Every structure is written in structure tokens, then in C-alpha cells.
Amino acid sequence: MSAEAPLRIRGAALERGGRELWAGRGREGAPGVYTTDGAKIAALGLRVRRGCSFHGLAFTVAMDLEPFRRINPCGYAGQPVTMLAERGGPADLGAVARILVPQLSAQLGLSPAWQDGPIPAA
């Protein structure tokens, strides 16, 4: 995995999602996706261990945001966190996936393979 992988993943979230779901931006030195008013709407995590990469892009779609008030998201005290449903975006994970998966795949040079049925819960 190259050093540019986090930027590609964040770029995918911003490119298509920023046009269709929310007005988003990156933040220098802070992984994730932020709204134009600075609230965090997605977290980005990457790790390479023994030649295997572990990575994730977690969007706050529709949930109780209270737990975020008890922590410092990404180490930033007072960092506001928001969710797509609060910003007029979809509250359905499947709808978000149909928008983001093709863009993320294109950024990483992959071809998505869709399965029938619901997206499994985490």
C-alpha cells in the first residue's frame, strides 16, 4: 500500500460524496472527511502489518452522536461530529454505499462486485 492510499480513499469520499451527499473537505494532518463548517463526518484508518493492509472508511450515516461528546475525536478536543442524516443526506447505509463504492473503487483501481441482499451490519 502506498503512502498516497489514504489520500485516494479520502479523495473518493470527497469527490462523489461531496457532490451528492454533503459539502466536504479534507483537513491537513487530520485523517477523515469534514464538512465545510469543520464537523467530522467520516473517519479514515489505515494500517500495514506483516505485509497486509487493514483499512477503513467509516461514515457517520445515522446514529446517536452522544458518545462522540465524551471523547476527543482523532485527538482533537471539542471536535464536532455530524452525520449524513443531519445534513440532508441519506440515513440508509445501502444508499451511501451505492454512491461511494464505485468512486472508491475507481480511485484504487478496483472493480466492485455487488452481492444481492442487504449490506451486513457491523
Side-chain angles (χ1 to χ4, degrees):
M1 178 173 56
S2 72
E4 74 179 45
L7 296 176
R8 285 179 176 233
I9 293 171
R10 183 169 69 184
L14 291 171
E15 174 67 24
R16 180 105 186 247
R19 286 196 314 262
E20 296 187 29
L21 300 174
W22 65 89
R25 64 181 174 85
R27 189 162 131 187
E28 189 65 35
V33 177
Y34 299 83
T35 59
T36 55
D37 62 0
K40 189 164 192 169
I41 200 163
L44 174 62
L46 299 166
R47 179 179 182 187
V48 177
R49 182 175 177 197
R50 296 184 190 162
C52 294
S53 67
F54 303 86
H55 48 277
L57 177 64
F59 271 88
T60 312
V61 176
M63 63 176 287
D64 178 9
L65 296 176
E66 193 280 328
F68 290 106
R69 294 192 232 337
R70 293 183 268 146
I71 65 168
N72 295 330
C74 293
Y76 295 103
Q79 171 64 55
V81 175
T82 189
M83 60 184 163
L84 289 175
E86 276 184 344
R87 303 292 175 132
D92 174 67
L93 182 58
V96 175
R98 284 186 291 281
I99 293 168
L100 291 178
V101 168
Q103 185 63 32
L104 182 58
S105 298
Q107 284 280 344
L108 298 173
L110 302 171
S111 297
W114 295 97
Q115 295 180 343
D116 291 335
I119 295 174

